[in-house]
Amino acid sequence: MFSRRKKYLPEATVYGLIGGIPKTFGGRTGVCLQRADAFAELDGRHVEILTLSPRNDDPEALTARLRGEGRIGKKVTVRSVWADLRRASPHDLAQIASHSTESITIDPAKLPDFDGKPEIKELDDSGKTLRSDRFREDGSRYFSYRLGGENETKSVAIFDTRGRPIAQWNEQYELYFAWFDWLIGSEQAIIINDGPPLARYLHQYQRENVILVQTIHSKHSADPTKRSERLGWTYTPALKNVDRFDLFAVLTQSQHSDLTDLNYIMDNAAVLPNMTAATPMRRIKPRSPGTGVMLARTTFLKRIDHAITAVHSARQSGTDAILDIYGVADEAQEPLETLIEELDTHGTIALRGFDPRAKQKFEQASFTLLTSEYEGQPLVLLESMAAGCIPISYNIKYGPADIITDGVDGFLVPDGDIDAMARRIKDLHTMDEQKLMQMRQAAIRRVGDFSPEKITQLWGAALTRAVSNKQRPAEVDGNARLSSVRIVDGELALRVVLGGDAASGPEWALLSWTERKGGRFGRLPARLEQVGGETQVVTTAHADDFAAVDHGHIDFWIDLRVAGHPCRLRIKGAGDLEPQPLGHLEVYATRFGSLSLRFPALD
């Protein structure tokens, strides 16, 4: 499948990390597997995909299934934390347990007995796990989890082969970290995380010999260019802790630019697009210019009704266009069927359902449509272009504009403009055959920029930089003291004096804010100044900068990088500050003298 010519990646063991691999998947999971396979084949190495889901506790069967589906080759295997804990030898269990420093307080006599099932679980009314016990085939317990409450503390424990507790942690992710330490040991390693929720705790796994990589696969907010827009919950943990990752991988240059403009990313991010294994067509097959194929699950997110309406409109104007839509039926299936019936398309527009050979339809199709509300980097465009099938796509965030050069290898139309899409379908139908052939050839050439070899080379360069820049984990000793605060014409102007090691030549500074009882988060520009021998941070903010929060309290911090180490310091020294209005908000000092905002109580 691949031709190995040279080493692409740094000398380190590479692990993929994902929460779990379900029976049917796409998106992030597919990208994780494809990247691992390319790394393994091109670099001649073994790559393991680490999974944390109990549903993946038979990694050998899962590996065999994925190989049978052509997802991975023989150099890639799946590894499960739960399978390892269940099967580990007494020596290996002792090694994993050695990474715990907590006292063992769990009492096995108070735990449920084995009832023949591999797991005994208790859930609350919302589906949250209250208690979980997992057992080996011989009935011995190997894991126990207690959420905690009034009469018990939260605990995570593992047990030896005789069912006796040998280690305990306060959080489940601490057990995962012990597993990582056991797997990796002292060797140089790279962990590439494709599971966004795992970023909540993964950023805390700081080891001198481990490079942590976090990926982002979709747009970060509904309007990703506006500072006032709320971050999506999926990527808030990753962006809130972005500076603690050694590398932050963004799929497109346009998203990288937006994240930079909003100060979410600084110096550790790289544009690393998804790759496509689609084989560029050598000889373009003849096809009717009006033949369209679309690959998309029938979700409302994909706005397939726009595609149907555009093709119908093109037909109404005299274009002999047809559209076959392939994809798993989802929540929009019935409304789409109704729309097709109401338009009375006479079979020229059809929902064909799931077809494992659907991608081959691009070889006979003239065009494909992409009408999604948003994407990360739609690989379906590259798959169509590899077959000489012209993409007509909404210019959405993100991906289409980073792939398609409008009028050269495809068409970009304004987001949501159905009439413009219909016109492009008509243009294709009336286009000179030579011009149309040039577009198909250009589309095929463009796919080469996303080949496994080229994308792996980009990854290799980014990972090599991350390895070179890696610092021994250390916390920066410092403080941030409010020097002055002014509010003029709705603008909050702050001067903050840095103390301790934080004042020793920080590379950059930002004002960051967090919602005290919630996950909202943002960062604002700041500059560093030397004043009277002091290192000061100068920054401004407006009430609109916090529009993502609609109640409660907002706390202020200074984000820095000092000698290669990230640092976040609470702004203190505001004890003498009298509450002052900032638009609909109020600046005030907490009882600990820290600087914060709040929504004033209504009379």
Side-chain angles (χ1 to χ4, degrees), residues 18 51 64 167 195 213 238 279 298 342-343 367 406 415-416 460 480 509 555 580:
I18 198 157
T51 66
V213 184
T279 303
T298 56
E342 290 175 348
L343 293 176
F367 68 89
D406 186 42
D415 183 14
D555 297 325
Q580 301 178 47

Side-chain angles (χ1 to χ4, degrees), residues 1 4 28 35 51 58 61 67 100 124 147 166 168 176 209 241 263 285 298 315 319 377 390 397 453 486 489 559 582:
M1 183 177 180
R4 182 162 61 91
R28 291 189 298 266
R35 185 196 309 119
T51 66
D58 188 351
R67 287 177 182 169
S100 170
D124 67 9
L147 178 62
I166 56 173
Q168 186 170 314
Y176 300 153
N209 61 314
N241 301 291
N263 307 109
K285 298 178 180 180
T298 56
R315 289 187 58 82
T319 301
Q377 182 206 346
I390 303 301
K397 300 284 186 177
E453 290 85 355
R486 277 187 312 112
D489 296 330
D559 283 357
L582 177 67

Side-chain angles (χ1 to χ4, degrees), residues 136-395:
R136 301 180 181 91
E137 287 79 358
D138 65 2
S140 62
R141 189 188 326 270
Y142 69 89
F143 168 82
S144 182
Y145 168 81
R146 295 293 180 271
L147 178 62
E150 293 183 3
N151 300 317
E152 65 177 1
T153 59
K154 186 175 184 179
S155 66
V156 176
I158 61 172
F159 299 73
D160 66 14
T161 55
R162 297 174 62 183
R164 298 173 300 189
I166 56 173
Q168 186 170 314
W169 294 268
N170 295 324
E171 299 288 347
Q172 189 155 309
Y173 68 77
E174 294 172 329
L175 167 59
Y176 300 153
F177 290 177
W179 180 56
F180 294 161
D181 287 337
W182 171 72
L183 281 176
I184 296 169
S186 60
E187 298 298 317
Q188 188 82 24
I190 296 167
I191 297 178
I192 304 175
N193 176 39
D194 287 295
L198 310 187
R200 294 194 316 273
Y201 53 79
L202 185 64
H203 69 277
Q204 299 179 56
Y205 185 68
Q206 298 293 322
R207 302 292 187 269
E208 185 176 3
N209 61 314
V210 179
I211 299 296
L212 280 185
V213 184
Q214 176 64 49
T215 64
I216 183 168
H217 291 269
S218 188
K219 74 173 186 177
H220 46 275
S221 69
D223 190 339
T225 63
K226 290 186 178 179
R227 194 179 302 282
S228 59
E229 186 67 35
R230 291 184 176 185
L231 279 177
W233 288 118
T234 300
Y235 289 111
T236 294
L239 290 168
K240 192 172 184 178
N241 301 291
V242 64
D243 301 326
R244 293 194 170 270
F245 292 97
D246 299 295
L247 176 62
F248 193 78
V250 183
L251 291 178
T252 65
Q253 182 59 56
S254 53
Q255 186 169 26
H256 185 282
S257 297
D258 287 345
L259 288 169
T260 300
D261 290 345
L262 297 179
N263 307 109
Y264 286 123
I265 57 177
M266 292 296 289
D267 51 8
N268 64 338
V271 178
L272 297 168
N274 288 332
M275 61 185 71
T276 179
T279 303
M281 180 175 284
R282 293 182 179 274
R283 182 177 178 275
I284 300 176
K285 298 178 180 180
R287 56 197 79 180
S288 170
T291 303
V293 166
M294 186 175 183
L295 270 58
R297 182 187 293 265
T298 56
T299 67
F300 291 115
L301 168 66
K302 299 297 183 180
R303 294 192 292 193
I304 298 173
D305 58 317
H306 288 215
I308 293 170
T309 305
V311 171
H312 178 68
S313 177
R315 289 187 58 82
Q316 294 293 100
S317 66
T319 301
D320 187 20
I322 64 173
L323 181 65
D324 287 328
I325 303 161
Y326 294 89
V328 175
D330 215 314
E331 82 273 5
Q333 180 78 15
E334 188 173 336
L336 292 174
E337 291 173 347
T338 301
L339 175 62
I340 291 172
E341 184 177 349
E342 290 175 348
L343 293 176
D344 194 17
T345 63
H346 302 288
T348 58
I349 302 174
L351 299 173
R352 301 297 185 186
F354 173 74
D355 185 338
R357 299 175 300 280
K359 293 177 185 178
Q360 298 175 16
K361 306 296 181 180
F362 287 137
E363 297 176 5
Q364 291 85 40
S366 177
F367 68 89
T368 189
L369 305 178
L370 191 141
T371 50
S372 305
E373 292 180 9
Y374 62 86
E375 293 280 354
Q377 182 206 346
L379 288 175
V380 68
L381 294 182
L382 294 171
E383 290 164 345
S384 73
M385 293 166 77
C389 179
I390 303 301
I392 305 174
S393 173
Y394 281 162
N395 191 5

